[in-house]
PDB file of all heavy atoms in Angstrom:
ATOM      1  N   GLN A   1      89.544 150.865 163.146  1.00 87.00           N
ATOM      2  CA  GLN A   1      89.259 149.386 163.544  1.00 87.00           C
ATOM      3  C   GLN A   1      90.461 148.751 164.257  1.00 87.00           C
ATOM      4  O   GLN A   1      91.588 149.099 163.930  1.00 87.00           O
ATOM      5  CB  GLN A   1      88.957 148.537 162.349  1.00 87.00           C
ATOM      6  CG  GLN A   1      87.563 148.893 161.758  1.00 87.00           C
ATOM      7  CD  GLN A   1      87.253 148.005 160.560  1.00 87.00           C
ATOM      8  OE1 GLN A   1      88.260 147.602 159.771  1.00 87.00           O
ATOM      9  NE2 GLN A   1      86.054 147.692 160.262  1.00 87.00           N
ATOM     10  N   SER A   2      90.165 148.097 165.470  1.00 86.00           N
ATOM     11  CA  SER A   2      91.167 147.401 166.127  1.00 86.00           C
ATOM     12  C   SER A   2      91.155 145.944 165.874  1.00 86.00           C
ATOM     13  O   SER A   2      90.089 145.359 165.455  1.00 86.00           O
ATOM     14  CB  SER A   2      90.958 147.689 167.637  1.00 86.00           C
ATOM     15  OG  SER A   2      91.837 146.905 168.404  1.00 86.00           O
ATOM     16  N   SER A   3      92.263 145.300 166.127  1.00 82.00           N
ATOM     17  CA  SER A   3      92.218 143.772 165.972  1.00 82.00           C
ATOM     18  C   SER A   3      91.516 143.151 167.152  1.00 82.00           C
ATOM     19  O   SER A   3      91.321 141.912 167.126  1.00 82.00           O
ATOM     20  CB  SER A   3      93.657 143.290 165.799  1.00 82.00           C
ATOM     21  OG  SER A   3      94.380 143.754 166.937  1.00 82.00           O
ATOM     22  N   LEU A   4      91.199 143.919 168.186  1.00 86.00           N
ATOM     23  CA  LEU A   4      90.471 143.271 169.399  1.00 86.00           C
ATOM     24  C   LEU A   4      89.008 143.762 169.359  1.00 86.00           C
ATOM     25  O   LEU A   4      88.625 144.775 169.076  1.00 86.00           O
ATOM     26  CB  LEU A   4      91.148 143.844 170.691  1.00 86.00           C
ATOM     27  CG  LEU A   4      92.560 143.435 170.945  1.00 86.00           C
ATOM     28  CD1 LEU A   4      93.090 144.085 172.228  1.00 86.00           C
ATOM     29  CD2 LEU A   4      92.754 141.956 171.052  1.00 86.00           C
ATOM     30  N   ALA A   5      88.210 142.767 169.572  1.00 84.00           N
ATOM     31  CA  ALA A   5      86.794 143.003 169.604  1.00 84.00           C
ATOM     32  C   ALA A   5      86.432 143.905 170.763  1.00 84.00           C
ATOM     33  O   ALA A   5      86.942 143.844 171.864  1.00 84.00           O
ATOM     34  CB  ALA A   5      86.064 141.665 169.777  1.00 84.00           C
ATOM     35  N   GLY A   6      85.461 144.859 170.465  1.00 86.00           N
ATOM     36  CA  GLY A   6      85.081 145.807 171.438  1.00 86.00           C
ATOM     37  C   GLY A   6      86.005 146.956 171.647  1.00 86.00           C
ATOM     38  O   GLY A   6      85.790 147.762 172.663  1.00 86.00           O
ATOM     39  N   HIS A   7      87.032 147.012 170.828  1.00 89.00           N
ATOM     40  CA  HIS A   7      88.003 148.171 170.896  1.00 89.00           C
ATOM     41  C   HIS A   7      87.989 148.945 169.614  1.00 89.00           C
ATOM     42  O   HIS A   7      87.821 148.402 168.595  1.00 89.00           O
ATOM     43  CB  HIS A   7      89.495 147.553 171.172  1.00 89.00           C
ATOM     44  CG  HIS A   7      89.619 146.973 172.458  1.00 89.00           C
ATOM     45  ND1 HIS A   7      90.921 146.923 173.069  1.00 89.00           N
ATOM     46  CD2 HIS A   7      88.754 146.466 173.479  1.00 89.00           C
ATOM     47  CE1 HIS A   7      90.794 146.273 174.205  1.00 89.00           C
ATOM     48  NE2 HIS A   7      89.558 145.980 174.532  1.00 89.00           N
ATOM     49  N   LYS A   8      88.166 150.192 169.846  1.00 90.00           N
ATOM     50  CA  LYS A   8      88.316 151.177 168.712  1.00 90.00           C
ATOM     51  C   LYS A   8      89.521 152.051 169.054  1.00 90.00           C
ATOM     52  O   LYS A   8      89.611 152.640 170.125  1.00 90.00           O
ATOM     53  CB  LYS A   8      87.180 151.918 168.338  1.00 90.00           C
ATOM     54  CG  LYS A   8      85.992 151.133 167.656  1.00 90.00           C
ATOM     55  CD  LYS A   8      84.877 151.986 167.213  1.00 90.00           C
ATOM     56  CE  LYS A   8      83.873 151.155 166.503  1.00 90.00           C
ATOM     57  NZ  LYS A   8      83.228 150.194 167.481  1.00 90.00           N
ATOM     58  N   LEU A   9      90.474 152.203 168.123  1.00 91.00           N
ATOM     59  CA  LEU A   9      91.592 153.227 168.353  1.00 91.00           C
ATOM     60  C   LEU A   9      91.203 154.650 167.987  1.00 91.00           C
ATOM     61  O   LEU A   9      90.481 154.752 166.962  1.00 91.00           O
ATOM     62  CB  LEU A   9      92.721 152.692 167.557  1.00 91.00           C
ATOM     63  CG  LEU A   9      93.332 151.333 167.897  1.00 91.00           C
ATOM     64  CD1 LEU A   9      94.310 150.856 166.946  1.00 91.00           C
ATOM     65  CD2 LEU A   9      93.784 151.306 169.227  1.00 91.00           C
ATOM     66  N   ILE A  10      91.617 155.534 168.622  1.00 92.00           N
ATOM     67  CA  ILE A  10      91.363 156.925 168.389  1.00 92.00           C
ATOM     68  C   ILE A  10      92.590 157.626 167.976  1.00 92.00           C
ATOM     69  O   ILE A  10      93.664 157.428 168.582  1.00 92.00           O
ATOM     70  CB  ILE A  10      90.614 157.690 169.675  1.00 92.00           C
ATOM     71  CG1 ILE A  10      89.471 156.930 170.129  1.00 92.00           C
ATOM     72  CG2 ILE A  10      90.334 159.149 169.208  1.00 92.00           C
ATOM     73  CD1 ILE A  10      88.388 156.797 169.080  1.00 92.00           C
ATOM     74  N   GLY A  11      92.482 158.480 166.928  1.00 92.00           N
ATOM     75  CA  GLY A  11      93.722 159.072 166.347  1.00 92.00           C
ATOM     76  C   GLY A  11      93.459 160.517 165.984  1.00 92.00           C
ATOM     77  O   GLY A  11      92.321 160.942 165.829  1.00 92.00           O
ATOM     78  N   VAL A  12      94.566 161.203 165.757  1.00 93.00           N
ATOM     79  CA  VAL A  12      94.452 162.657 165.314  1.00 93.00           C
ATOM     80  C   VAL A  12      95.168 162.786 163.976  1.00 93.00           C
ATOM     81  O   VAL A  12      96.268 162.250 163.806  1.00 93.00           O
ATOM     82  CB  VAL A  12      95.135 163.570 166.297  1.00 93.00           C
ATOM     83  CG1 VAL A  12      95.134 165.065 165.753  1.00 93.00           C
ATOM     84  CG2 VAL A  12      94.438 163.484 167.661  1.00 93.00           C
ATOM     85  N   ILE A  13      94.411 163.368 163.052  1.00 92.00           N
ATOM     86  CA  ILE A  13      95.065 163.538 161.648  1.00 92.00           C
ATOM     87  C   ILE A  13      96.200 164.488 161.816  1.00 92.00           C
ATOM     88  O   ILE A  13      95.996 165.704 162.193  1.00 92.00           O
ATOM     89  CB  ILE A  13      93.989 164.079 160.641  1.00 92.00           C
ATOM     90  CG1 ILE A  13      92.995 163.066 160.497  1.00 92.00           C
ATOM     91  CG2 ILE A  13      94.714 164.371 159.312  1.00 92.00           C
ATOM     92  CD1 ILE A  13      91.801 163.505 159.501  1.00 92.00           C
ATOM     93  N   GLN A  14      97.383 164.070 161.342  1.00 91.00           N
ATOM     94  CA  GLN A  14      98.631 164.944 161.386  1.00 91.00           C
ATOM     95  C   GLN A  14      98.959 165.619 160.021  1.00 91.00           C
ATOM     96  O   GLN A  14      99.406 166.694 159.949  1.00 91.00           O
ATOM     97  CB  GLN A  14      99.775 164.100 161.888  1.00 91.00           C
ATOM     98  CG  GLN A  14      99.870 163.758 163.324  1.00 91.00           C
ATOM     99  CD  GLN A  14     101.215 163.086 163.736  1.00 91.00           C
ATOM    100  OE1 GLN A  14     101.631 162.307 163.004  1.00 91.00           O
ATOM    101  NE2 GLN A  14     101.728 163.602 164.805  1.00 91.00           N
ATOM    102  N   LYS A  15      98.689 164.827 158.984  1.00 90.00           N
ATOM    103  CA  LYS A  15      98.988 165.286 157.669  1.00 90.00           C
ATOM    104  C   LYS A  15      98.079 164.704 156.694  1.00 90.00           C
ATOM    105  O   LYS A  15      97.732 163.568 156.741  1.00 90.00           O
ATOM    106  CB  LYS A  15     100.471 164.913 157.416  1.00 90.00           C
ATOM    107  CG  LYS A  15     101.094 165.628 156.197  1.00 90.00           C
ATOM    108  CD  LYS A  15     102.612 165.327 155.963  1.00 90.00           C
ATOM    109  CE  LYS A  15     103.154 166.085 154.819  1.00 90.00           C
ATOM    110  NZ  LYS A  15     104.617 165.866 154.741  1.00 90.00           N
ATOM    111  N   ILE A  16      97.819 165.507 155.606  1.00 89.00           N
ATOM    112  CA  ILE A  16      96.888 165.029 154.572  1.00 89.00           C
ATOM    113  C   ILE A  16      97.802 165.324 153.160  1.00 89.00           C
ATOM    114  O   ILE A  16      98.285 166.392 152.915  1.00 89.00           O
ATOM    115  CB  ILE A  16      95.658 165.872 154.322  1.00 89.00           C
ATOM    116  CG1 ILE A  16      94.803 165.790 155.666  1.00 89.00           C
ATOM    117  CG2 ILE A  16      94.775 165.455 153.234  1.00 89.00           C
ATOM    118  CD1 ILE A  16      93.764 166.626 155.801  1.00 89.00           C
ATOM    119  N   ILE A  17      97.867 164.281 152.434  1.00 84.00           N
ATOM    120  CA  ILE A  17      98.822 164.250 151.268  1.00 84.00           C
ATOM    121  C   ILE A  17      98.063 163.937 149.994  1.00 84.00           C
ATOM    122  O   ILE A  17      97.253 162.824 149.939  1.00 84.00           O
ATOM    123  CB  ILE A  17     100.017 163.214 151.422  1.00 84.00           C
ATOM    124  CG1 ILE A  17     100.609 163.458 152.747  1.00 84.00           C
ATOM    125  CG2 ILE A  17     100.969 163.278 150.324  1.00 84.00           C
ATOM    126  CD1 ILE A  17     101.549 162.415 153.212  1.00 84.00           C
ATOM    127  N   ARG A  18      98.168 164.636 148.947  1.00 79.00           N
ATOM    128  CA  ARG A  18      97.720 164.333 147.607  1.00 79.00           C
ATOM    129  C   ARG A  18      98.776 164.460 146.583  1.00 79.00           C
ATOM    130  O   ARG A  18      99.209 165.644 146.325  1.00 79.00           O
ATOM    131  CB  ARG A  18      96.469 165.093 147.250  1.00 79.00           C
ATOM    132  CG  ARG A  18      95.814 164.630 145.935  1.00 79.00           C
ATOM    133  CD  ARG A  18      94.631 165.531 145.532  1.00 79.00           C
ATOM    134  NE  ARG A  18      93.938 165.018 144.459  1.00 79.00           N
ATOM    135  CZ  ARG A  18      92.995 165.690 143.819  1.00 79.00           C
ATOM    136  NH1 ARG A  18      92.456 166.792 144.322  1.00 79.00           N
ATOM    137  NH2 ARG A  18      92.349 165.132 142.707  1.00 79.00           N
ATOM    138  N   THR A  19      99.318 163.413 146.035  1.00 74.00           N
ATOM    139  CA  THR A  19     100.452 163.348 145.302  1.00 74.00           C
ATOM    140  C   THR A  19     100.254 162.675 143.933  1.00 74.00           C
ATOM    141  O   THR A  19      99.818 161.502 143.885  1.00 74.00           O
ATOM    142  CB  THR A  19     101.672 162.686 146.029  1.00 74.00           C
ATOM    143  OG1 THR A  19     101.818 163.323 147.255  1.00 74.00           O
ATOM    144  CG2 THR A  19     102.960 162.894 145.162  1.00 74.00           C
ATOM    145  N   ALA A  20     100.621 163.437 142.866  1.00 63.00           N
ATOM    146  CA  ALA A  20     100.455 162.867 141.506  1.00 63.00           C
ATOM    147  C   ALA A  20     101.803 161.929 141.332  1.00 63.00           C
ATOM    148  O   ALA A  20     102.845 162.344 141.575  1.00 63.00           O
ATOM    149  CB  ALA A  20     100.305 163.813 140.474  1.00 63.00           C
ATOM    150  N   LEU A  21     101.544 160.712 140.803  1.00 58.00           N
ATOM    151  CA  LEU A  21     102.684 159.784 140.650  1.00 58.00           C
ATOM    152  C   LEU A  21     103.383 160.051 139.369  1.00 58.00           C
ATOM    153  O   LEU A  21     104.452 159.479 139.067  1.00 58.00           O
ATOM    154  CB  LEU A  21     102.177 158.337 140.578  1.00 58.00           C
ATOM    155  CG  LEU A  21     101.573 157.877 141.941  1.00 58.00           C
ATOM    156  CD1 LEU A  21     101.082 156.393 141.735  1.00 58.00           C
ATOM    157  CD2 LEU A  21     102.492 157.962 143.097  1.00 58.00           C
ATOM    158  N   GLY A  22     102.749 160.959 138.479  1.00 54.00           N
ATOM    159  CA  GLY A  22     103.553 161.258 137.230  1.00 54.00           C
ATOM    160  C   GLY A  22     103.057 160.309 136.023  1.00 54.00           C
ATOM    161  O   GLY A  22     102.141 159.462 136.255  1.00 54.00           O
ATOM    162  N   GLU A  23     103.664 160.490 134.925  1.00 46.00           N
ATOM    163  CA  GLU A  23     103.304 159.583 133.759  1.00 46.00           C
ATOM    164  C   GLU A  23     103.630 158.192 134.019  1.00 46.00           C
ATOM    165  O   GLU A  23     104.697 157.900 134.469  1.00 46.00           O
ATOM    166  CB  GLU A  23     103.864 160.185 132.521  1.00 46.00           C
ATOM    167  CG  GLU A  23     103.515 161.612 132.096  1.00 46.00           C
ATOM    168  CD  GLU A  23     104.092 162.016 130.763  1.00 46.00           C
ATOM    169  OE1 GLU A  23     104.909 161.165 130.220  1.00 46.00           O
ATOM    170  OE2 GLU A  23     103.800 163.142 130.488  1.00 46.00           O
ATOM    171  N   VAL A  24     102.655 157.299 133.626  1.00 45.00           N
ATOM    172  CA  VAL A  24     102.975 155.908 133.698  1.00 45.00           C
ATOM    173  C   VAL A  24     103.875 155.472 132.606  1.00 45.00           C
ATOM    174  O   VAL A  24     105.007 154.882 132.813  1.00 45.00           O
ATOM    175  CB  VAL A  24     101.679 155.127 133.545  1.00 45.00           C
ATOM    176  CG1 VAL A  24     102.013 153.706 133.565  1.00 45.00           C
ATOM    177  CG2 VAL A  24     100.783 155.419 134.766  1.00 45.00           C
ATOM    178  N   LYS A  25     103.658 155.930 131.331  1.00 49.00           N
ATOM    179  CA  LYS A  25     104.520 155.838 130.262  1.00 49.00           C
ATOM    180  C   LYS A  25     103.988 156.577 129.060  1.00 49.00           C
ATOM    181  O   LYS A  25     102.824 157.018 129.034  1.00 49.00           O
ATOM    182  CB  LYS A  25     104.577 154.248 129.676  1.00 49.00           C
ATOM    183  CG  LYS A  25     103.290 153.710 129.468  1.00 49.00           C
ATOM    184  CD  LYS A  25     103.466 152.202 129.205  1.00 49.00           C
ATOM    185  CE  LYS A  25     102.107 151.517 128.875  1.00 49.00           C
ATOM    186  NZ  LYS A  25     102.264 150.067 128.662  1.00 49.00           N
ATOM    187  N   ILE A  26     104.807 156.974 128.219  1.00 46.00           N
ATOM    188  CA  ILE A  26     104.522 157.947 127.104  1.00 46.00           C
ATOM    189  C   ILE A  26     103.466 157.461 126.296  1.00 46.00           C
ATOM    190  O   ILE A  26     102.536 158.239 125.889  1.00 46.00           O
ATOM    191  CB  ILE A  26     105.828 158.207 126.248  1.00 46.00           C
ATOM    192  CG1 ILE A  26     106.861 158.918 127.108  1.00 46.00           C
ATOM    193  CG2 ILE A  26     105.417 159.166 125.079  1.00 46.00           C
ATOM    194  CD1 ILE A  26     106.493 160.114 127.615  1.00 46.00           C
ATOM    195  N   ALA A  27     103.280 156.218 126.077  1.00 49.00           N
ATOM    196  CA  ALA A  27     102.349 155.627 125.259  1.00 49.00           C
ATOM    197  C   ALA A  27     100.944 155.753 125.689  1.00 49.00           C
ATOM    198  O   ALA A  27      99.880 155.627 125.033  1.00 49.00           O
ATOM    199  CB  ALA A  27     102.506 154.014 125.022  1.00 49.00           C
ATOM    200  N   ASP A  28     100.668 156.168 127.018  1.00 49.00           N
ATOM    201  CA  ASP A  28      99.493 156.236 127.668  1.00 49.00           C
ATOM    202  C   ASP A  28      99.022 157.719 127.751  1.00 49.00           C
ATOM    203  O   ASP A  28      98.019 158.014 128.568  1.00 49.00           O
ATOM    204  CB  ASP A  28      99.489 155.680 129.091  1.00 49.00           C
ATOM    205  CG  ASP A  28      99.658 154.172 129.074  1.00 49.00           C
ATOM    206  OD1 ASP A  28      99.208 153.549 128.157  1.00 49.00           O
ATOM    207  OD2 ASP A  28     100.172 153.562 129.967  1.00 49.00           O
ATOM    208  N   VAL A  29      99.617 158.611 127.008  1.00 46.00           N
ATOM    209  CA  VAL A  29      99.222 160.025 127.177  1.00 46.00           C
ATOM    210  C   VAL A  29      97.876 160.281 126.720  1.00 46.00           C
ATOM    211  O   VAL A  29      97.172 161.103 127.408  1.00 46.00           O
ATOM    212  CB  VAL A  29     100.281 160.892 126.277  1.00 46.00           C
ATOM    213  CG1 VAL A  29      99.712 162.342 126.172  1.00 46.00           C
ATOM    214  CG2 VAL A  29     101.619 160.806 126.810  1.00 46.00           C
ATOM    215  N   GLU A  30      97.440 159.556 125.787  1.00 49.00           N
ATOM    216  CA  GLU A  30      96.038 159.687 125.270  1.00 49.00           C
ATOM    217  C   GLU A  30      94.897 159.282 126.387  1.00 49.00           C
ATOM    218  O   GLU A  30      93.787 159.431 126.241  1.00 49.00           O
ATOM    219  CB  GLU A  30      95.734 158.942 123.999  1.00 49.00           C
ATOM    220  CG  GLU A  30      95.787 157.325 124.116  1.00 49.00           C
ATOM    221  CD  GLU A  30      97.329 156.898 123.942  1.00 49.00           C
ATOM    222  OE1 GLU A  30      98.159 157.692 124.015  1.00 49.00           O
ATOM    223  OE2 GLU A  30      97.468 155.610 123.971  1.00 49.00           O
ATOM    224  N   LEU A  31      95.379 158.568 127.347  1.00 48.00           N
ATOM    225  CA  LEU A  31      94.486 158.189 128.416  1.00 48.00           C
ATOM    226  C   LEU A  31      94.107 159.335 129.302  1.00 48.00           C
ATOM    227  O   LEU A  31      93.217 159.186 130.199  1.00 48.00           O
ATOM    228  CB  LEU A  31      95.040 157.094 129.311  1.00 48.00           C
ATOM    229  CG  LEU A  31      95.338 155.772 128.556  1.00 48.00           C
ATOM    230  CD1 LEU A  31      96.031 154.688 129.486  1.00 48.00           C
ATOM    231  CD2 LEU A  31      94.098 155.162 127.934  1.00 48.00           C
ATOM    232  N   GLY A  32      94.734 160.404 129.252  1.00 46.00           N
ATOM    233  CA  GLY A  32      94.416 161.674 130.101  1.00 46.00           C
ATOM    234  C   GLY A  32      94.685 161.398 131.600  1.00 46.00           C
ATOM    235  O   GLY A  32      95.822 160.970 131.832  1.00 46.00           O
ATOM    236  N   GLU A  33      93.725 161.688 132.364  1.00 45.00           N
ATOM    237  CA  GLU A  33      93.869 161.519 133.882  1.00 45.00           C
ATOM    238  C   GLU A  33      94.263 160.173 134.236  1.00 45.00           C
ATOM    239  O   GLU A  33      95.023 159.979 135.289  1.00 45.00           O
ATOM    240  CB  GLU A  33      92.611 162.019 134.584  1.00 45.00           C
ATOM    241  CG  GLU A  33      92.328 163.508 134.472  1.00 45.00           C
ATOM    242  CD  GLU A  33      91.193 163.990 135.303  1.00 45.00           C
ATOM    243  OE1 GLU A  33      90.580 162.966 135.964  1.00 45.00           O
ATOM    244  OE2 GLU A  33      90.838 165.049 135.344  1.00 45.00           O
ATOM    245  N   ALA A  34      93.792 159.140 133.486  1.00 48.00           N
ATOM    246  CA  ALA A  34      94.200 157.827 133.848  1.00 48.00           C
ATOM    247  C   ALA A  34      95.637 157.588 133.827  1.00 48.00           C
ATOM    248  O   ALA A  34      96.214 156.661 134.438  1.00 48.00           O
ATOM    249  CB  ALA A  34      93.424 156.830 132.971  1.00 48.00           C
ATOM    250  N   ALA A  35      96.316 158.328 133.072  1.00 45.00           N
ATOM    251  CA  ALA A  35      97.838 158.155 132.916  1.00 45.00           C
ATOM    252  C   ALA A  35      98.529 158.848 134.050  1.00 45.00           C
ATOM    253  O   ALA A  35      99.743 158.784 134.240  1.00 45.00           O
ATOM    254  CB  ALA A  35      98.269 158.705 131.538  1.00 45.00           C
ATOM    255  N   HIS A  36      97.844 159.706 134.905  1.00 44.00           N
ATOM    256  CA  HIS A  36      98.388 160.345 136.006  1.00 44.00           C
ATOM    257  C   HIS A  36      97.746 160.046 137.303  1.00 44.00           C
ATOM    258  O   HIS A  36      96.972 160.797 137.803  1.00 44.00           O
ATOM    259  CB  HIS A  36      98.359 161.834 135.686  1.00 44.00           C
ATOM    260  CG  HIS A  36      99.137 162.232 134.464  1.00 44.00           C
ATOM    261  ND1 HIS A  36     100.514 162.549 134.438  1.00 44.00           N
ATOM    262  CD2 HIS A  36      98.754 162.297 133.109  1.00 44.00           C
ATOM    263  CE1 HIS A  36     100.767 162.862 133.152  1.00 44.00           C
ATOM    264  NE2 HIS A  36      99.815 162.786 132.374  1.00 44.00           N
ATOM    265  N   PRO A  37      97.805 158.768 137.812  1.00 57.00           N
ATOM    266  CA  PRO A  37      97.040 158.460 139.026  1.00 57.00           C
ATOM    267  C   PRO A  37      97.590 159.191 140.329  1.00 57.00           C
ATOM    268  O   PRO A  37      98.827 159.687 140.176  1.00 57.00           O
ATOM    269  CB  PRO A  37      97.390 157.027 139.111  1.00 57.00           C
ATOM    270  CG  PRO A  37      98.657 156.727 138.373  1.00 57.00           C
ATOM    271  CD  PRO A  37      98.668 157.649 137.235  1.00 57.00           C
ATOM    272  N   GLU A  38      96.764 159.401 141.209  1.00 63.00           N
ATOM    273  CA  GLU A  38      97.187 160.104 142.392  1.00 63.00           C
ATOM    274  C   GLU A  38      97.099 159.326 143.566  1.00 63.00           C
ATOM    275  O   GLU A  38      96.191 158.394 143.683  1.00 63.00           O
ATOM    276  CB  GLU A  38      96.308 161.400 142.565  1.00 63.00           C
ATOM    277  CG  GLU A  38      96.503 162.402 141.411  1.00 63.00           C
ATOM    278  CD  GLU A  38      95.579 163.567 141.634  1.00 63.00           C
ATOM    279  OE1 GLU A  38      94.513 163.393 142.241  1.00 63.00           O
ATOM    280  OE2 GLU A  38      95.970 164.710 141.130  1.00 63.00           O
ATOM    281  N   VAL A  39      97.910 159.522 144.631  1.00 76.00           N
ATOM    282  CA  VAL A  39      97.811 158.904 145.887  1.00 76.00           C
ATOM    283  C   VAL A  39      97.307 159.768 146.927  1.00 76.00           C
ATOM    284  O   VAL A  39      98.055 160.795 147.151  1.00 76.00           O
ATOM    285  CB  VAL A  39      99.313 158.292 146.242  1.00 76.00           C
ATOM    286  CG1 VAL A  39      99.218 157.679 147.636  1.00 76.00           C
ATOM    287  CG2 VAL A  39      99.798 157.304 145.250  1.00 76.00           C
ATOM    288  N   ASN A  40      96.286 159.451 147.538  1.00 84.00           N
ATOM    289  CA  ASN A  40      95.659 160.317 148.527  1.00 84.00           C
ATOM    290  C   ASN A  40      95.781 159.607 149.890  1.00 84.00           C
ATOM    291  O   ASN A  40      95.263 158.648 150.187  1.00 84.00           O
ATOM    292  CB  ASN A  40      94.137 160.464 148.200  1.00 84.00           C
ATOM    293  CG  ASN A  40      93.876 161.014 146.880  1.00 84.00           C
ATOM    294  OD1 ASN A  40      94.604 161.928 146.370  1.00 84.00           O
ATOM    295  ND2 ASN A  40      92.915 160.495 146.229  1.00 84.00           N
ATOM    296  N   LEU A  41      96.652 160.257 150.702  1.00 87.00           N
ATOM    297  CA  LEU A  41      97.027 159.597 151.917  1.00 87.00           C
ATOM    298  C   LEU A  41      96.793 160.552 153.130  1.00 87.00           C
ATOM    299  O   LEU A  41      96.750 161.787 153.061  1.00 87.00           O
ATOM    300  CB  LEU A  41      98.579 159.286 152.010  1.00 87.00           C
ATOM    301  CG  LEU A  41      99.032 158.461 150.856  1.00 87.00           C
ATOM    302  CD1 LEU A  41     100.650 158.249 151.025  1.00 87.00           C
ATOM    303  CD2 LEU A  41      98.361 156.989 150.865  1.00 87.00           C
ATOM    304  N   VAL A  42      96.473 159.993 154.389  1.00 89.00           N
ATOM    305  CA  VAL A  42      96.419 160.658 155.562  1.00 89.00           C
ATOM    306  C   VAL A  42      97.376 160.067 156.569  1.00 89.00           C
ATOM    307  O   VAL A  42      97.386 158.771 156.654  1.00 89.00           O
ATOM    308  CB  VAL A  42      94.963 160.641 156.120  1.00 89.00           C
ATOM    309  CG1 VAL A  42      94.135 161.514 155.248  1.00 89.00           C
ATOM    310  CG2 VAL A  42      94.368 159.313 156.313  1.00 89.00           C
ATOM    311  N   ARG A  43      98.010 160.839 157.316  1.00 91.00           N
ATOM    312  CA  ARG A  43      98.871 160.279 158.377  1.00 91.00           C
ATOM    313  C   ARG A  43      98.268 160.589 159.775  1.00 91.00           C
ATOM    314  O   ARG A  43      97.811 161.751 159.980  1.00 91.00           O
ATOM    315  CB  ARG A  43     100.342 160.865 158.370  1.00 91.00           C
ATOM    316  CG  ARG A  43     101.224 160.317 159.383  1.00 91.00           C
ATOM    317  CD  ARG A  43     102.707 160.885 159.184  1.00 91.00           C
ATOM    318  NE  ARG A  43     102.759 162.257 159.594  1.00 91.00           N
ATOM    319  CZ  ARG A  43     103.744 163.020 159.207  1.00 91.00           C
ATOM    320  NH1 ARG A  43     104.777 162.471 158.486  1.00 91.00           N
ATOM    321  NH2 ARG A  43     103.785 164.344 159.628  1.00 91.00           N
ATOM    322  N   ILE A  44      98.098 159.544 160.519  1.00 92.00           N
ATOM    323  CA  ILE A  44      97.306 159.657 161.820  1.00 92.00           C
ATOM    324  C   ILE A  44      98.188 159.256 162.905  1.00 92.00           C
ATOM    325  O   ILE A  44      98.918 158.180 162.885  1.00 92.00           O
ATOM    326  CB  ILE A  44      96.104 158.744 161.691  1.00 92.00           C
ATOM    327  CG1 ILE A  44      95.173 159.318 160.578  1.00 92.00           C
ATOM    328  CG2 ILE A  44      95.312 158.814 163.098  1.00 92.00           C
ATOM    329  CD1 ILE A  44      94.032 158.343 160.222  1.00 92.00           C
TER     330      ILE A  44
END
């Protein structure tokens, strides 16, 4: 999406990233996957 009406920007995917952020805190271990959120990113 572009900030100008009638325009669309075209890009090429350069990198795809899926990174676990690690434990939020020890007390949340019982939350399972919720205690280990992931960041899914694409660089274009």
Side-chain angles (χ1 to χ4, degrees):
Q1 285 182 331
S2 170
S3 58
L4 296 179
H7 289 205
K8 287 185 177 64
L9 299 170
I10 305 300
V12 177
I13 296 177
Q14 285 187 314
K15 191 173 184 179
I16 303 171
I17 307 166
R18 185 179 183 186
T19 306
L21 295 182
E23 296 184 2
V24 177
K25 53 186 178 180
I26 300 298
D28 291 331
V29 171
E30 65 273 11
L31 296 179
E33 292 186 0
H36 300 271
E38 294 179 333
V39 175
N40 305 318
L41 303 175
V42 290
R43 186 173 68 193
I44 298 168

